[in-house]
Amino acid sequence: KAGQDNQTTQYGFVAQEVEKLFPDVIKDGQWHGTAAKVMSTHDLLPYAIEAIKEQNHIIETTQLQLESLKNQIKELQQQLSTSKTDER
């Protein structure tokens, strides 16, 4: 819709939904002369950065667990193969 009547599409958050999780970033204010809850998405950056750090930690831990499980499977397959060879 960009360019139609000099209006652009804008994306954001519903302040009431954000307020449930981050009440400190919501303020009472005015929007087009009407009382409204307002926020700056800039105020959410520290929370977003911390969430990304937590997600990265979870990903790294999961990758280590996956590698460990792959190694265990490989060892078990080798043991099984050796066991079958010994039976013959």
Side-chain angles (χ1 to χ4, degrees):
K1 294 185 177 185
Q4 294 177 352
D5 299 326
N6 293 328
Q7 293 182 2
T8 59
T9 302
Q10 295 183 357
Y11 300 94
F13 298 97
V14 176
Q16 289 80 353
E17 291 177 8
V18 174
E19 186 175 36
K20 293 173 189 174
L21 298 171
F22 309 105
D24 55 318
V25 302
I26 303 299
K27 309 284 186 266
D28 290 323
Q30 295 283 321
W31 189 72
H32 293 284
T34 304
K37 296 203 178 274
V38 296
M39 64 173 280
S40 167
T41 53
H42 178 76
D43 294 337
L44 289 176
L45 283 177
Y47 296 106
I49 290 169
E50 194 58 35
I52 290 168
K53 287 179 186 176
E54 289 176 21
Q55 289 296 310
N56 283 338
H57 176 72
I58 290 169
I59 290 168
E60 290 169 2
T61 301
T62 302
Q63 287 174 330
L64 291 173
Q65 291 172 338
L66 178 60
E67 282 303 313
S68 175
L69 290 171
K70 284 180 177 180
N71 289 335
Q72 288 177 21
I73 290 170
K74 192 175 188 177
E75 289 174 16
L76 288 170
Q77 287 173 331
Q78 289 172 347
Q79 289 175 6
L80 183 59
S81 177
T82 302
S83 175
K84 286 182 179 181
T85 303
D86 290 344
E87 289 177 3
R88 293 180 186 169

